[in-house]
Amino acid sequence: MAKEVQANEVAAKEGAAPQENGSQMEEIVLTSEEGLTLEKFEEASEVVKKVTLETKLVFSEYLSAQTGNKVYLKPENMQLTGAYKLRGAYYKISTLSEEERAKGLITASAGNHAQGVAYAAKAYGTKAVIVMPTTTPLMKVNRTKGYGAEVVLYGDVYDEACAKAYELADENGYTFIHPFDDLTVATGQGTIAMEIVKELPLVDYILVPIGGGGLATGVATLAKLLNPKIKVIGVEPAGANCMQKSLSQGHVVTLPKVTTIADGTAVKTPGNKLFPYIQRNLDGIITVEDHELVVAFLDMVENHKIVVENSGLLTVAALKHLDVKGKKVVSILSGGNMDVTTMSSVVQQGLIMRDRIFSVSILLPDKPGELYRVSGIIAKANGNVVELEHNQFVTTNRNTAVELRITMEAFGTEHKNQIMKSLEEEGYRPKLVNASF
């Protein structure tokens, strides 16, 4: 399950001030020449308006009732490129010289930053080369190409793609645009906090996804500049918790591997330049298991009619781990770039986890009418058969039993149990098995 493991974490009840790392915090020198000043954030806010859509906060009655807080969603999945990354990419490119842009731009990305750079480069009429992991969803690859960028597929994770991008930059003289470890990029991402505070001045908590830390750095730094009382909580996948590990050890840590369905936050090493800002301004870390993202996707689609990619769902899944009540909480939905195949798989798994799809195995005599009898029991209990498999070869004695495997729909756990009970009352011994499609 999710864990909050920082000394300055949010679960440190109301009013508790974040704890710093003693002398270590005092030694940190926070530079501002590249950004992260209020003036730069204001400048970036004006610049990004040229290419971003207005993503008004959406109040969620469903999530508010679930958590006991007033929950608002910041739908950055509705941006032109399907994610917030356009903000940092466009602002960064706007600060480059004509000479730097003329060399051509290169970056590495699992998809969202790739589209942001590709779109921004097209707006400035400059070449863009994007190195993406081979595991990147096809939709993100095609959309990046659709904005006119050249795509190079390399490596299994972001870190390997990034190393390749640096290599190509050296070989060809391209200007490298880092997806997160860049203070100017982080300044562009932080414009989200400006919009949140303008729309909801009394916000208490902002939940922000963390991959490399660019979004969290920008949002947390600006939020504290605008109102030091705002708590900013980072959310990471449990299988890619590089920032959580780094904060616990007081320095940037590289994970040996990452394993998560949240591909946009599958980063081994957080940003070195960003880390001091995270240490100072982030109020805690929550980690989320992959299965929680699956359920969160189902909730968003059914209750809000919003498609959010797995990385963007981190802040939704984290809501139930936020140990506060009666607060105004904003969950940043960082992106919505999910391909249909992945979407279908996640929906199916979500239905299974909610006991709305389940399978049973029943042994019954091999004689006419048994299948009709079983289906009648299920129908009477309002179950809906999705798939049926009749195996006559489960035993050598067909007069004794054959196996009937039934996958069916239910309204949830209580309804599933009612169907199972109805079968048992009619003399059958149904056994739950893993649902399959």
Side-chain angles (χ1 to χ4, degrees):
M1 296 300 291
K3 298 289 187 293
E4 298 173 66
V5 294
Q6 288 309 109
N8 58 341
E9 62 195 29
V10 62
K13 314 298 178 185
E14 216 44 50
Q19 298 178 13
E20 297 183 349
N21 297 328
S23 60
Q24 184 182 39
M25 283 300 298
E26 294 172 4
E27 293 172 0
I28 293 173
V29 178
L30 303 182
T31 61
S32 61
E33 62 271 12
E34 294 181 67
L36 301 183
T37 64
L38 188 56
E39 292 74 21
K40 287 294 184 181
F41 280 118
E42 290 176 337
E43 176 186 272
S45 293
E46 292 303 313
V47 170
V48 301
K49 285 179 182 178
K50 298 175 183 178
V51 291
T52 56
L53 299 176
E54 188 176 28
T55 55
K56 289 283 189 179
L57 295 178
V58 177
F59 177 71
S60 172
E61 291 186 8
Y62 175 79
L63 294 172
S64 296
Q66 293 279 315
T67 62
N69 293 301
K70 291 184 178 180
V71 177
Y72 298 81
L73 306 173
K74 178 63 171 170
E76 286 295 293
N77 58 309
M78 302 302 293
Q79 288 296 349
L80 290 168
T81 58
Y84 75 96
K85 287 283 192 176
L86 177 58
R87 296 171 180 268
Y90 189 81
Y91 180 58
K92 173 66 177 182
I93 294 172
S94 76
T95 66
L96 297 177
S97 66
E98 291 290 342
E99 181 182 356
E100 289 173 316
R101 289 197 287 262
K103 292 178 180 178
L105 310 176
I106 190 168
T107 192
S109 169
N112 290 336
H113 178 68
Q115 292 177 69
V117 170
Y119 187 95
K122 183 178 181 180
Y124 276 97
T126 187
K127 176 181 179 179
V129 178
I130 317 293
V131 184
M132 308 177 82
T134 57
T135 53
T136 303
L138 182 61
M139 183 190 73
K140 292 184 178 182
V141 174
N142 287 340
R143 284 191 174 180
T144 303
K145 290 180 179 179
Y147 292 127
E150 175 187 336
V151 173
V152 176
L153 296 177
Y154 185 88
D156 294 327
V157 295
Y158 159 76
D159 301 78
E160 294 171 359
C162 188
K164 182 65 173 179
Y166 274 120
E167 179 184 321
L168 292 175
D170 289 339
E171 290 177 1
N172 299 283
Y174 298 138
T175 299
F176 188 84
I177 308 294
H178 202 286
F180 55 85
D181 198 19
D182 183 298
L183 298 183
T184 304
V185 170
T187 301
Q189 320 298 28
T191 58
I192 291 176
M194 184 79 76
E195 295 171 10
I196 291 173
V197 174
K198 282 184 178 180
E199 193 174 352
L200 190 66
L202 298 181
V203 59
D204 296 301
Y205 287 86
I206 300 176
L207 301 185
V208 54
I210 293 182
L215 177 61
T217 296
V219 169
T221 302
L222 179 54
K224 296 298 184 182
L225 287 171
L226 296 174
N227 181 358
K229 293 183 179 180
I230 297 174
K231 302 285 188 181
V232 182
I233 310 301
V235 190
E236 286 186 299
N241 60 336
C242 62
M243 190 65 79
Q244 182 192 56
K245 292 290 187 183
S246 297
L247 286 171
S248 66
Q249 296 190 31
H251 59 86
V252 171
V253 170
T254 297
L255 299 177
K257 65 177 182 178
V258 293
T259 306
T260 177
I261 62 173
D263 58 282
T265 48
V267 177
K268 289 183 177 180
T269 310
N272 279 286
K273 296 177 182 177
L274 310 176
F275 190 63
Y277 297 89
I278 292 290
Q279 284 183 304
R280 172 167 290 187
N281 298 312
L282 202 67
D283 294 288
I285 292 278
I286 294 174
T287 59
V288 171
E289 301 288 347
D290 280 358
H291 67 83
E292 297 178 88
L293 299 177
V294 171
V295 174
F297 181 84
L298 200 61
D299 283 341
M300 292 304 296
V301 170
E302 289 195 318
N303 296 291
H304 299 86
K305 306 300 182 283
I306 298 176
V307 173
V308 185
E309 64 185 270
N310 292 321
S311 296
L313 291 166
L314 287 166
T315 59
V316 176
L319 285 167
K320 64 182 178 180
H321 301 290
L322 197 61
D323 190 19
V324 296
K325 299 293 180 185
K327 300 299 179 182
K328 295 181 179 67
V329 182
V330 174
S331 288
I332 297 175
L333 309 180
S334 57
N337 291 315
M338 178 180 283
D339 64 88
V340 176
T341 302
T342 302
M343 198 182 304
S344 174
S345 176
V346 171
V347 168
Q348 290 179 358
Q349 290 302 314
L351 292 171
I352 291 169
M353 290 173 63
R354 285 285 172 87
D355 284 334
R356 289 168 55 185
I357 294 284
F358 69 102
S359 295
V360 296
S361 172
I362 303 173
L363 296 179
L364 64 161
D366 186 18
K367 62 181 183 182
E370 287 297 319
L371 177 58
Y372 175 81
R373 183 166 177 250
V374 170
S375 62
I377 296 169
I378 294 171
K380 188 175 180 180
N382 292 317
N384 182 45
V385 174
V386 176
E387 185 178 88
L388 187 144
E389 180 183 350
H390 190 249
N391 182 7
Q392 294 180 311
F393 304 105
V394 69
T395 175
T396 56
N397 186 352
R398 287 176 52 192
N399 292 322
T400 301
V402 296
E403 181 188 33
L404 183 65
R405 286 201 174 199
I406 308 171
T407 298
M408 65 190 95
E409 289 181 305
F411 301 128
T413 302
E414 184 177 349
H415 187 208
K416 180 197 76 172
N417 292 337
Q418 289 175 354
I419 296 172
M420 296 289 285
K421 184 178 179 181
S422 296
L423 289 167
E424 290 168 354
E425 288 175 345
E426 293 295 328
Y428 296 104
R429 299 175 64 184
K431 180 182 178 182
L432 287 171
V433 295
N434 291 330
S436 60
F437 293 87

